[in-house]
Amino acid sequence: MKKSWIIIIVIVVIGFIAYSSLKNSYNSMVVAEEGVTAQWAQVENVYQRRADLIPNLVNTVKGYASHEKETLEGVIEARSKATSVNIDASNMTPQMFQAFQQAQDGLSSALSKLMVVVERYPDLKANQNFLELQAQLEGTENRIAIERKKFNESTKGYNTLIKRFPKNLMANMFGFETKPYFQAQQGAETVPEVQF
């Protein structure tokens, strides 16, 4: 009789340990995935801040450089494309992520062209509204870089967690999938040529 009680107690203890381990592993994966999702929301937040600044910047430039219509329309079109690409953080595929990144890179390129146009207008460069918008845009670009870095760090932690044994077995069983990283623009590794 005592032997059967001991066996039952051992089975209950082993079952409890297995349940606790499974529960803790699952919960740690959920916490890590939510961290990636929260960080993604912050990345979208700073990109939205940039998108919100652009109409004011374009309107300010438009007053001084009205014949630069093509450049201004390019910025507006790039902003439209960038804001139309949305990704659900819970279902982030590499293809969707790449489309988002390309749209944002297109907007960055259009803004760079706009800043080149601005160089031709000394009165615009001295305009207080333009200077404030330019400073805000510059600060926003720095925020974007910081939030992208934080996103990549969160993604690395999450991806590492779900790929390590034995959690990788549970991750596959419960449908946890790796998340993509932000990567540098194509050609960013090439040093720009400066000529005087």
Side-chain angles (χ1 to χ4, degrees):
M1 187 71 148
K2 285 185 179 184
K3 206 173 193 182
S4 63
W5 276 107
I6 292 174
I7 292 172
I8 291 173
I9 290 173
V10 167
I11 290 172
V12 168
V13 168
I14 290 172
F16 180 75
I17 292 171
Y19 167 77
S20 294
S21 176
L22 182 66
K23 179 185 78 140
N24 290 339
S25 293
Y26 180 82
N27 287 342
S28 66
M29 288 185 280
V30 168
V31 167
E33 186 175 42
E34 285 301 312
V36 171
T37 301
Q39 193 55 51
W40 177 251
Q42 191 56 29
V43 168
E44 287 184 318
N45 181 34
V46 291
Y47 274 124
Q48 185 61 51
R49 176 180 162 77
R50 177 174 73 171
D52 292 345
L53 285 172
I54 290 171
N56 294 330
L57 187 65
V58 167
N59 287 334
T60 303
V61 173
K62 195 184 289 184
Y64 284 86
S66 57
H67 62 280
E68 300 287 353
K69 186 176 180 182
E70 184 180 317
T71 303
L72 296 172
E73 286 175 353
V75 171
I76 293 167
E77 183 180 324
R79 178 190 181 270
S80 176
K81 285 180 184 175
T83 56
S84 69
V85 178
N86 295 317
I87 297 178
D88 177 15
S90 64
N91 189 20
M92 192 180 297
T93 65
Q95 296 81 11
M96 291 168 50
F97 193 80
Q98 185 177 15
F100 178 85
Q101 191 169 351
Q102 284 176 342
Q104 294 301 329
D105 291 347
L107 181 54
S108 295
S109 176
L111 284 172
S112 295
K113 289 176 187 171
L114 180 65
M115 291 305 145
V116 168
V117 166
V118 166
E119 291 298 317
R120 293 186 236 152
Y121 299 92
D123 291 345
L124 175 59
K125 290 186 342 186
N127 178 289
Q128 190 61 37
N129 286 341
F130 177 76
L131 292 174
E132 287 176 19
L133 287 168
Q134 189 177 21
Q136 286 185 26
L137 189 60
E138 203 173 283
T140 300
E141 293 296 333
N142 290 335
R143 289 178 186 174
I144 288 170
I146 290 168
E147 296 304 332
R148 285 172 58 149
K149 179 180 181 276
K150 288 179 181 178
F151 174 80
N152 279 349
E153 289 169 354
S154 293
T155 301
K156 178 186 175 203
Y158 167 76
N159 286 345
T160 301
L161 179 70
I162 67 167
K163 287 182 177 181
R164 293 174 72 185
F165 183 81
K167 289 187 181 177
N168 63 338
L169 301 174
M170 286 183 272
N172 288 335
M173 185 169 59
F174 291 116
F176 289 95
E177 296 180 2
T178 59
K179 305 286 185 191
Y181 293 99
F182 272 107
Q183 297 176 353
Q185 282 182 327
Q186 200 168 25
E189 69 281 353
T190 307
V191 178
E193 186 178 319
V194 179
Q195 295 179 351
F196 294 100

